[in-house]
Amino acid sequence: MTSPLADGAVSKADLVHRQLKEEIELGELAPGTPLSELSLVERTGASRTPVREALRRLAAEGLVDLTPRQGARVSRVSLQNVRDLFDFRAMLEPEAIRQATRAAAADPEVRRAFAELRTEFTRIQRRVPSQARSRAFYELADRFDWAIIGATRNEHLRRTIAELRPHTARLRNLSHVDPQRVDVSVAEHLVICDALLAGDADAAAAGIAAHLADSLRTIFRNLAQAPGDALDLA
């Protein structure tokens, strides 16, 4: 996304923040990438003030590092931070899927939404491995995660998981480079969907816990081979 920003409904800082956040999540701005204010001004069409505000917000979210006299750069990935993130997700997401399972049992619209997602996972499972298939899976997995968030009835739990999404998305794009991992992850999502649609909250929670554990192992294996600028081994 390199076109100038223009939208009267939100501020320039909001637009710059949204653009940079998406580029970081998608891996278009890799960990360690310098973020020169001047280059961002030229690329986004915004002035320095909204660019600085957007960078401050991204820093508060942990996606950008601001260093005195060195400027801004996309935050690197720490193996400890990855482990901490997944440990935290493992505390939260099994309960969220339990709540989503109960919501699906009580609300036909919620159940229908998850049934449609399951159908789409099945279609992706049948496709020949390719980059397009991988992208389609990640888009669908993201929609599935947001569907769980939307069906979570505890407001604080819902908000907390939503706030973790940019970090989760960034790791997904940094590490899930193996087509075989896509096959495994599709199968894991189908297990979770089936348990949810069957009304089995415990099985759904166990499925998501297993998925998180397998994802963490894959991320550690793949990030160990990442470029040095992207990874902090501490």
Side-chain angles (χ1 to χ4, degrees), residues 97 114 117 121 140-148 189 192-193:
I97 198 72
F114 280 104
L117 288 166
F121 279 122
L140 180 57
D142 191 60
R143 287 167 49 202
F144 178 75
D145 291 345
W146 280 110
I148 294 173
H189 279 78
I192 297 166
C193 283

Side-chain angles (χ1 to χ4, degrees), residues 50-82:
V51 165
R52 287 172 182 166
E53 173 60 25
L55 291 174
R56 282 195 292 268
R57 289 168 60 183
L58 290 166
E61 293 167 351
L63 297 174
V64 165
D65 292 330
L66 296 177
T67 306
R69 294 183 296 279
Q70 294 184 23
R73 65 178 57 242
V74 179
S75 61
R76 298 171 72 204
V77 175
S78 160
L79 292 181
Q80 185 59 54
N81 286 343
V82 172

Side-chain angles (χ1 to χ4, degrees), residues 45-126:
S47 65
R48 281 184 179 248
T49 298
V51 165
R52 287 172 182 166
E53 173 60 25
L55 291 174
R56 282 195 292 268
R57 289 168 60 183
L58 290 166
E61 293 167 351
L63 297 174
V64 165
D65 292 330
L66 296 177
T67 306
R69 294 183 296 279
Q70 294 184 23
R73 65 178 57 242
V74 179
S75 61
R76 298 171 72 204
V77 175
S78 160
L79 292 181
Q80 185 59 54
N81 286 343
V82 172
R83 184 176 294 282
D84 289 346
L85 173 63
F86 272 79
D87 284 348
F88 194 35
R89 291 181 65 193
M91 297 177 194
L92 302 176
E93 294 185 25
E95 175 56 26
I97 198 72
R98 285 190 177 94
Q99 293 188 20
T101 300
R102 292 193 287 269
D107 187 335
E109 288 297 323
V110 174
R111 179 181 175 80
R112 185 177 300 110
F114 280 104
E116 291 173 355
L117 288 166
R118 189 203 184 283
T119 298
E120 293 189 52
F121 279 122
T122 301
R123 289 178 183 146
I124 287 179
Q125 189 178 47
R126 293 170 180 164

Side-chain angles (χ1 to χ4, degrees), residues 214-228:
D214 200 20
S215 295
L216 181 61
R217 285 191 293 270
T218 302
I219 286 170
F220 268 45
R221 182 172 63 249
N222 290 341
L223 285 181
Q225 304 170 14

Side-chain angles (χ1 to χ4, degrees), residues 141-218:
D142 191 60
R143 287 167 49 202
F144 178 75
D145 291 345
W146 280 110
I148 294 173
I149 292 170
T152 299
R153 295 304 182 242
N154 184 294
E155 178 184 352
H156 297 286
L157 178 59
R158 183 169 63 245
R159 183 186 304 117
T160 301
I161 295 175
E163 289 173 352
L164 297 176
R165 297 301 305 150
H167 301 279
T168 300
R170 183 162 77 133
L171 288 175
R172 177 182 289 160
N173 286 284
L174 282 172
S175 61
H176 283 45
V177 295
D178 184 352
Q180 292 184 343
R181 175 56 195 161
V182 174
D183 291 332
V184 172
S185 196
V186 170
E188 291 170 345
H189 279 78
L190 284 170
V191 167
I192 297 166
C193 283
D194 287 342
L196 182 149
L197 293 170
D200 191 336
D202 288 340
I208 209 160
H211 169 67
L212 290 171
D214 200 20
S215 295
L216 181 61
R217 285 191 293 270
T218 302

